[in-house]
Amino acid sequence: MPCDCNLRKRITRDKITLNKRDVYLDYNSTTKPNNRVLASIDQINRNYWGNPSAQNSRGVNLYNYINGEIHKAKLELGLNNMKIYFDTSSTSLIHKIGNIEKNVITSNIEHTSLLKVANNTVQVDNRGQLDLNKLESICKKQYPSLIVYSPVNHETGNIQPIAKIFEIAKRYNIKIILDAVQTINRLDREKWLPYCDGFYFSGHKIHGVQGAATLILKDSFINFNLDNSPLPFSLYSGTFNSPAVIGLLTATLDTLKSSKTVLNEIRVLQKEGINILAKCSKDIIFESDINNLTGVINISIPIVDKIEDLLMHLSIEGIQVGRLSACSGDINKKSYVLTAMGRDIKRASTSIRISFGRESKRDDFFRLSAALKSFISSNLP
């Protein structure tokens, strides 16, 4: 359930609605389903409706259709022997992994759902990168069974030293599962896919729909067994959500096939966005490592008295940005990610996350810059 913070109440009270001129810069929270995804879901609902575990021809046909789409994903990923599971969300997946693996380590800036199942956390430096010496020390002394972490941080967009983490893990025969929720659509696959034994992500982060996530395990993890359903790929506690899963598979193929072009466009836009924001106001501080990020820019504005007021101002201006995680509760609290990176309370409490993607434009940053500038100038002491 979403938080019941005062900002949401103010938006409801003031009847702030969406319009065609809205600027959407909160891709890390969710993305708009693309037309191919919607068409694939419509086809399931119209032509393949049924229960894939049912013992009848409609159920068998749907089951075979889903397997065909899974096979396409395997070919695109080059993982013919992979195991694949589907569930309602990445949060549900990581909790089920945690129920099996009892000695999990991660970094101290991961999503809260992952922090809840980890037994040990490794600190990061002021750039948000995992301390490799401390990671190796834990691996050497405590013999963890699994490392789970996100190559691209959900708040800052900073990229971890993926290959080096993998090298340490293999030295101690430890498996790695990547939280790829913010990675699959933000980082070239050759930079992360070879450096793990499995990964998971959600459909709504890659222009699919909400209600479906997937865990993919390579053959190096083939003995890891989560099966609890008549369907070998289902972890749903109830009826398998075939439309959402087909939407997820369609979105996955679209993301993988278009990633080179889209990522190049995002990198160009990222440089332009940083330059536009840098010229906006001297009171803006870049919290992301601008030389090591992808598709996300985190800034803080310490002169702001209350970040809720800035977010309300942006909403009135039709600009959608994020802060912390969408499911993190009080919007005014300090960022534990920035705190772990050594930022003071004021900076950690006045940060916003700007995340963008395939439909973002340079004009989005000009409009954001103008809105920030007007708010800052009207709130100067």
Side-chain angles (χ1 to χ4, degrees):
M1 293 295 291
C3 67
D4 191 31
C5 65
N6 195 51
L7 176 62
R8 293 174 62 89
K9 293 177 181 177
R10 289 173 66 183
I11 291 173
T12 302
R13 181 196 66 202
D14 293 356
K15 298 180 180 179
I16 299 175
T17 57
L18 301 175
N19 60 65
K20 292 183 179 180
R21 294 189 66 252
D22 275 359
V23 170
Y24 188 74
L25 293 170
D26 196 17
Y27 276 65
N28 274 23
S29 174
T30 198
T31 55
K32 177 184 175 182
N34 69 39
N35 289 336
R36 276 178 47 80
V37 167
L38 295 176
S40 69
I41 292 173
D42 185 60
Q43 181 179 9
I44 290 294
N45 286 329
R46 290 178 183 274
N47 302 324
Y48 285 91
W49 58 269
N51 188 329
S53 61
Q55 304 301 318
N56 54 52
S57 58
R58 185 166 285 281
V60 171
N61 284 334
L62 177 55
Y63 175 82
N64 291 336
Y65 184 87
I66 294 169
N67 267 325
E69 295 303 297
I70 290 173
H71 181 66
K72 291 178 185 178
K74 288 182 177 181
L75 291 177
E76 186 64 31
L77 286 164
L79 300 174
N80 291 330
N81 294 324
M82 73 181 191
K83 274 190 174 182
I84 187 166
Y85 298 99
F86 299 100
D87 204 345
T88 55
S89 67
S90 292
T91 297
S92 180
L93 284 171
I94 190 57
H95 279 284
K96 286 170 182 173
I97 293 170
N99 287 336
I100 295 176
E101 294 289 340
K102 301 301 182 183
N103 194 0
V104 177
I105 61 174
T106 189
S107 81
N108 62 343
I109 60 170
E110 301 299 330
H111 193 278
T112 52
S113 61
L114 176 51
L115 291 173
K116 288 178 181 178
V117 304
N119 305 96
N120 281 294
T121 57
V122 182
Q123 294 178 336
V124 297
D125 60 22
N126 61 2
R127 297 179 302 148
Q129 292 214 322
L130 197 144
D131 187 319
L132 297 177
N133 290 328
K134 290 183 179 178
L135 172 64
E136 180 143 25
S137 177
I138 291 176
C139 292
K140 187 176 182 179
K141 296 177 181 178
Q142 300 186 27
Y143 306 105
S145 57
L146 183 65
I147 297 172
V148 186
Y149 77 98
S150 175
V152 178
N153 185 258
H154 62 284
E155 265 193 54
T156 65
N158 291 346
I159 304 169
Q160 293 291 349
I162 303 166
K164 292 180 179 179
I165 294 172
F166 184 75
E167 180 183 334
I168 292 172
K170 295 304 109 176
R171 194 177 300 152
Y172 297 95
N173 197 30
I174 300 168
K175 296 288 193 295
I176 288 182
I177 290 180
L178 297 180
D179 175 349
V181 170
Q182 304 296 349
T183 302
I184 187 170
N185 63 334
R186 298 206 175 280
L187 205 58
D188 299 295
R189 75 178 91 169
E190 60 268 20
K191 293 182 179 179
W192 61 271
L193 187 56
Y195 305 109
C196 67
D197 300 286
F199 56 96
Y200 61 87
F201 59 92
S202 301
H204 67 282
K205 307 290 189 178
I206 57 170
H207 300 278
V209 295
Q210 298 170 9
T214 185
L215 168 67
I216 295 175
L217 301 176
K218 296 181 181 179
D219 53 5
S220 57
F221 223 150
I222 211 70
N223 293 325
F224 192 84
N225 197 342
L226 288 166
D227 295 352
N228 69 342
S229 164
L231 299 174
F233 44 70
S234 176
L235 297 178
Y236 281 83
S237 57
T239 303
F240 188 73
N241 190 343
S242 301
V245 168
I246 288 297
L248 166 61
L249 288 167
T250 303
T252 301
L253 288 170
D254 283 355
T255 297
L256 294 172
K257 289 179 178 179
S258 64
S259 62
K260 290 290 184 184
T261 300
V262 172
L263 287 173
N264 285 336
E265 292 172 351
I266 287 175
R267 291 183 188 111
V268 171
L269 182 60
Q270 181 171 283
K271 290 181 180 179
E272 293 178 336
I274 289 171
N275 289 334
I276 291 168
L277 291 172
K279 295 175 182 177
C280 169
S281 171
K282 61 181 177 58
D283 296 300
I284 290 177
I285 300 174
F286 288 93
E287 302 296 357
S288 300
D289 180 354
I290 61 173
N291 297 311
N292 183 44
L293 74 162
T294 175
V296 185
I297 303 171
N298 191 295
I299 62 173
S300 65
I301 313 173
I303 68 161
V304 171
D305 183 49
K306 198 174 183 182
I307 196 65
E308 176 186 316
D309 294 333
L310 171 58
L311 294 173
M312 185 67 181
H313 172 75
L314 293 177
S315 291
I316 292 171
E317 294 295 319
I319 298 170
Q320 322 296 325
V321 297
R323 179 160 204 274
L324 314 176
S325 298
C327 46
S328 62
D330 182 12
I331 199 69
N332 289 304
K333 69 182 180 182
K334 66 181 180 181
S335 161
Y336 69 86
V337 172
L338 295 185
T339 301
M341 292 168 59
R343 308 305 193 261
D344 61 38
I345 293 177
K346 188 62 177 174
R347 286 170 64 174
S349 301
T350 58
S351 62
I352 62 172
R353 180 190 65 202
I354 304 154
S355 53
F356 41 98
R358 63 173 66 191
E359 294 186 1
S360 301
K361 300 176 178 62
R362 186 170 64 164
D363 184 62
D364 296 344
F365 281 94
F366 281 119
R367 286 190 55 192
L368 171 62
S369 175
L372 289 174
K373 192 171 184 177
S374 67
F375 183 85
I376 292 171
S377 61
S378 64
N379 284 271
L380 287 173

